[in-house]
Amino acid sequence: MSARQLSLPSPAKLNLMLHIIGRRADGYHELQTLFQFLDYGDELHFALRDDGVIHLRTEFDGVPHDSNLIVRAAKKLQEQSGSTLGADIWIDKILPMGGGIGGGSSNAATTLLGLNHLWQLDWNEDRLAALGLTLGADVPVFVRGHAAFAEGVGEKLTPVDPEEPWYVVLVPQVSVSTAEIFSDPLLTRNSPPIKVRPVPEGNSRNDCLPVVARRYPDVRNALDSLGKYTEAKLTGTGSCVFGAFPNKAEADKVSALLAETHTGFVAKGSNISMLHRKLQSLL
């Protein structure tokens, strides 16, 4: 691949737990969550332009070009770095929108890291993560690329190394609105903060699950189906439901049993994102 082109993965993430411990004066919620990556995701392709134009060549239904997080990330990096270079960008999209597995945030982070490399800006991770936070609370964890215990609105990150099992992820065909879930009057907002690192066993619940399951029957159905084989959890505020298995064979077996009634996939958990492994290989 030439120095003018670059292809990079944009991995999914899971929230292995999500506790809401309070609500701030600005309306944002204080969280504690545990992020882990999956070896599964989108693929972004970048081609250098010398004229400064940012052009996302892949169209998204219902998302105007300049509103897409990929374009916003590219333009913000261009603006703040003063770079006169641009890029054509394509994406092979497989991660669902509104699924709670970080598709948009991951795409934004891959764009920041990819263009930092392609434009030879030499920005460090801290600077890229700070820029990423202005695009969304989940962007910094993808920029840093290490499984993390997150606090605040999800931006205060402590690297952790949980087990890396295989997961079955079910993808109900509904898009869950984060704003809708966080504004639900029945949402738990007073979970006691976890003081111990890493997260102790038995603290793996997601405080958003009861609200999402009540509002979205398809998600409730997926939780019930997967729950027959393992503990079924919700990731983030999204629709995706996951369960852990000790090896690929067991995960594949359960996935096959559920395939007739549910859309989903099997993927390995990873504490170092496949994006960062790819970037390391380019150095």
Side-chain angles (χ1 to χ4, degrees):
M1 190 169 289
S2 78
R4 297 183 62 84
Q5 293 183 316
L6 182 64
S7 291
L8 291 171
S10 182
K13 60 82 177 165
L14 295 176
N15 296 82
L16 302 185
M17 49 75 69
L18 175 60
H19 296 180
I20 301 170
I21 59 174
R23 194 176 196 168
R24 306 192 318 196
D26 62 8
Y28 281 97
H29 288 77
E30 289 278 344
L31 311 174
Q32 288 188 321
T33 189
L34 190 60
F35 288 113
Q36 186 178 51
F37 304 102
L38 295 176
D39 281 350
Y40 181 89
D42 301 332
E43 184 93 8
L44 272 77
H45 310 280
F46 305 92
L48 195 62
R49 291 179 69 126
D50 297 316
D51 60 5
V53 171
I54 304 290
H55 190 173
L56 178 61
R57 297 282 183 176
T58 310
E59 290 184 12
F60 286 75
D61 289 343
V63 182
H65 180 272
D66 287 1
S67 301
N68 192 294
L69 264 178
I70 294 169
V71 177
R72 288 172 52 207
K75 289 190 170 177
K76 217 155 202 183
L77 182 63
Q78 188 184 51
E79 196 180 286
Q80 296 206 6
S81 67
S83 178
T84 58
L85 297 170
D88 286 315
I89 308 170
W90 296 261
I91 180 168
D92 301 326
K93 188 78 185 156
I94 60 170
L95 298 180
M97 294 171 78
I101 53 179
S105 298
S106 181
N107 293 168
T110 294
T111 300
L112 293 176
L113 289 160
L115 294 179
N116 182 53
H117 184 89
L118 204 59
W119 292 345
Q120 299 183 335
L121 301 178
D122 211 23
W123 277 31
N124 65 21
E125 217 172 73
D126 290 345
R127 203 170 170 192
L128 289 166
L131 177 57
L133 183 58
T134 68
L135 295 160
D138 285 355
V139 179
V141 74
F142 287 106
V143 168
R144 295 191 181 279
H146 199 291
F149 181 72
E151 299 175 274
V153 294
E155 86 288 6
K156 296 173 192 162
L157 302 171
T158 305
V160 291
D161 290 291
E163 287 180 18
E164 299 175 314
W166 284 85
Y167 294 104
V168 170
V169 182
L170 300 183
V171 186
Q173 302 302 292
V174 291
S175 179
V176 174
S177 160
T178 299
E180 182 188 297
I181 301 309
F182 275 125
S183 61
D184 191 296
L186 296 181
L187 181 69
T188 297
R189 294 184 173 87
N190 58 353
S191 283
I194 294 171
K195 299 280 199 299
V196 183
R197 307 287 186 279
V199 178
E201 287 296 317
N203 278 282
S204 64
R205 75 178 183 282
N206 181 338
D207 284 339
C208 298
L209 187 150
V211 173
V212 175
R214 191 184 77 250
R215 284 173 169 265
Y216 295 89
D218 288 359
V219 177
R220 191 165 65 243
N221 183 22
L223 285 161
D224 290 345
S225 298
L226 186 56
K228 295 186 174 90
Y229 304 97
T230 185
E231 184 186 0
K233 301 179 185 181
L234 182 77
T235 177
T237 57
S239 58
C240 290
V241 167
F242 69 96
F245 294 86
N247 54 58
K248 186 174 188 297
E250 283 192 44
D252 282 340
K253 183 176 155 192
V254 170
S255 179
L257 289 168
L258 295 172
E260 272 187 36
T261 48
H262 296 278
T263 302
F265 61 88
V266 169
K268 183 148 187 0
S270 181
N271 294 334
I272 304 295
S273 91
M274 58 183 186
L275 167 60
H276 282 255
R277 299 202 304 269
K278 177 71 182 281
L279 285 166
Q280 280 297 116
S281 74
L282 298 175
L283 296 178

